[in-house]
Amino acid sequence: MLCLRDVYVWEFPVRLTHWVNVICLITLSFTGYYIGNPYIHNVHPFFYGVLKDQWVMGWMRLIHFSVAYVFAMSVLLRIYWGFAGNRHARWSAMIPTTKERRRTLLHDIRFYLLMEPAPAVSIGHSPTAGLAYLLLFLGYLVSILTGFALLSQSHGGAFWYAAGGWILPSFPVQWVRLVHHVMMWFLIVFPIVHLYVGWTTDLVEENCVMSSIFSGRKTCGDE
Amino acid sequence: MASDTLFDALIEHDISRRDFIKFCTAMAAALGLSAGTVPRIAHALQTKKKPILLWLEMQSCTGDTEALLRATKPTAAELVLDVLSLDYSETIMAAAGHQAEKLLADLVKNHKGAYFAAVEGSIPVKDGGIHCCIGGRSGLEIAREVCGNALATFAMGTCACFGGIPHASPNPTGAVGVKEAFPNATVLNLAGCPVNAENITAAIVHYLTFGSLPAVDAFGRPLFAFGKRIHDNCERRAHFDAGQYTRQWGDDGHRRGWCMYYMGCKGPQAYQNCPTVRYNGGTSWPVGSGHGCVACAAPNFWDEMTPFYRRLPQPFGITVETTADKVGLTVTAVTLGGILLHAIARMVKHHTRPKGEAAQGAKPQEKTEWKGPSWHE
Ligand code: SF4
């Protein structure tokens, strides 16, 4: 049988950025959706007197922009850690560069299509998970870039131009807005899949992946 | 048009010096200059010869001419007309037919490189430009001659700047703006639908005072008029920040003059000085009269800022009622449903699997024995 071993997999910056991103994405989706479609009708009797004249959009925007900076910095930190962290945090864990990882990727896809009874065992990210997170980070970057492009509309100057304003002369601003909005839905769907896959992996591999994002430790079979 | 300088024209029109200085101050303000430049502007307008302006009509609705003719208060209207020595304009000149054509040819020949051209409307370039012909010649040909020999060309209105409404998809005539038709010409894009007469006047006053055209943004529009966002100067902005929106045309919020963001106002992505300068002599402007901004001074506004009454564009024009949120919600629901089915399928598969079958893990096959999901144990 397995000889179980406790392995320190997720370093502190990985866990930190993970949870900062979770909180940021929830806040950003909530406030961002209001900015795109102000759903709180403050003439509604329910809100009347509570939210009337309460600077609702102002607060939403203030929170959205402030949290967006935290999120951007968190993503920046994680990108840096992709170069500085341990082998499970590195970008090489995201991109299936070796033949071995590509083979495992195919096996995992077959597992998710219910054609294999068990996934391949990986200590850090499986190649499939790595690819998914690469996609997620591309999504983050698109969101951040389009976000700064939209922010540059109210902030003139070279800094804001460099941060994202340069996009606007080349792309219609309404499409930039739509992309920023649609990314929200991507970032809602992703965690759902992420949770399901994490949960099943935990069950199948019994590797405590679900608690590893709190503790950083996974239980692995001895290699 | 006997007078040579603007000031002569003012004397002729019995306009007081006080009104003249007021006009110069208004121009300095419109150009975003300090009060210290007012004497300089006044001096330039008194001494410089009025520039000759040749006004060409291309594919347009003549809205810009109308805007110019209806410029501001009675005295200022005369000022605007008199700042420009409008020597050729198909809409308002007396000459017609061959007489008019000859006039245009003479003006271009005699004042080569010394006159301003104004183009109103887009220039069709498809099929050799045959979709807009004047006197047997294509608009493209006429404009090339007039703009090519001009000191500078003012593109009047969004059609002349970026192609405007004739340029909107599917653009059957291949309509383009002046700069796109003649990339080598010196063009100042006075966008807007219609262009604001105050901005025309200010641009010309800038030229008379400083001998150069004003600084422009990435779209060739003068910064003094297009440097600020509508939304940042809008009188309804306080309602925006408070979350007080018009939710339906004519509802309570609309009647109270609340923000029209919810109804698709494009003020947050439009740049112009409408909120401060306003139209028709400061009477009003679209948002002031209860309609959202449609970003009429933006390139391709007809294609890119539509639908005018919604925040977001319709993705790929699927159906009128499909919004990004409906698509997003559907994808979320499908994902959740997919996960449920996947989980059920896994359980079924697990139960129908022959007992004792070893796991087929890719790597450490001998070591990893799949014991089935732990919820069965
Ligand atoms: S009416 Fe339009 S421009 Fe004015 S505050 Fe509202 S969204 Fe902005």
Side-chain angles (χ1 to χ4, degrees), chain B residues 230-231 234 236-237 240 259-261 265 267-268 287:
Chain B
I230 300 251
H231 187 57
C234 178
R236 302 192 181 207
R237 178 59 188 261
F240 170 83
C259 169
M260 290 167 295
Y261 178 83
C265 174
V287 169

Side-chain angles (χ1 to χ4, degrees), chain B residues 229-241 244-246 257-262 264-270 275 285 287-288 291-293 311:
Chain B
R229 201 159 61 128
I230 300 251
H231 187 57
D232 292 335
N233 278 335
C234 178
E235 63 234 27
R236 302 192 181 207
R237 178 59 188 261
H239 294 299
F240 170 83
D241 287 330
Q244 296 173 320
Y245 302 105
T246 298
W258 285 1
C259 169
M260 290 167 295
Y261 178 83
Y262 191 81
C265 174
K266 300 296 182 294
Q269 53 263 35
W285 66 296
V287 169
H291 189 282
C293 168
R311 271 315 298 149

Side-chain angles (χ1 to χ4, degrees), chain B residues 96-108:
Chain B
H98 294 302
Q99 213 183 358
E101 284 164 36
K102 185 170 177 308
L103 179 64
L104 183 65
D106 288 349
L107 283 166
V108 172

Side-chain angles (χ1 to χ4, degrees), chain A residues 59-196:
Chain A
W59 278 115
M60 292 287 186
R61 278 162 46 94
L62 182 68
I63 295 168
H64 191 79
F65 298 159
S66 318
V67 173
Y69 281 116
V70 176
F71 177 63
M73 289 308 118
S74 164
V75 170
L76 200 67
L77 174 62
R78 185 60 186 86
I79 288 174
Y80 163 70
W81 207 250
F83 296 102
N86 66 13
R87 65 189 172 102
H88 306 302
R90 285 179 178 267
W91 291 105
S92 52
M94 315 274 167
I95 308 158
T97 40
T98 62
K99 209 163 173 201
E100 172 69 17
R101 282 184 80 82
R102 280 196 291 273
R103 212 164 57 84
T104 319
L105 177 70
L106 275 183
H107 176 89
D108 278 353
I109 291 172
R110 285 172 60 83
F111 164 70
Y112 290 120
L113 293 176
L114 304 175
M115 292 158 74
E116 299 280 350
V121 173
S122 310
I123 298 177
H125 296 310
S126 76
T128 333
L131 258 191
Y133 301 147
L134 192 70
L135 188 71
L136 179 70
F137 263 77
L138 286 180
Y140 285 171
L141 291 182
V142 170
S143 293
I144 293 171
L145 201 63
T146 49
F148 274 117
L150 294 173
L151 191 63
S152 79
Q153 290 219 298
S154 53
H155 296 59
F159 176 76
W160 298 103
Y161 186 82
W166 54 271
I167 293 181
L168 293 182
S170 349
F171 294 97
V173 54
Q174 282 296 86
W175 285 89
V176 173
R177 180 163 273 118
L178 184 68
V179 168
H180 191 72
H181 191 92
V182 166
M183 282 325 289
M184 176 193 75
W185 286 108
F186 170 68
L187 296 175
I188 285 174
V189 168
F190 192 95
I192 299 174
V193 179
H194 180 64
L195 268 175
Y196 173 66

Side-chain angles (χ1 to χ4, degrees), chain B residues 319-363:
Chain B
T319 58
V320 189
E321 281 312 308
T322 308
T323 63
D325 288 330
K326 281 186 191 159
V327 175
L329 212 56
T330 314
V331 171
T332 312
V334 166
T335 310
L336 284 170
I339 283 172
L340 194 69
L341 287 178
H342 192 264
I344 292 170
R346 276 170 51 91
M347 272 198 294
V348 170
K349 193 143 170 73
H350 174 66
H351 280 293
T352 53
R353 197 165 55 93
K355 276 229 159 60
E357 187 188 291
Q360 306 283 312
K363 226 185 349 173

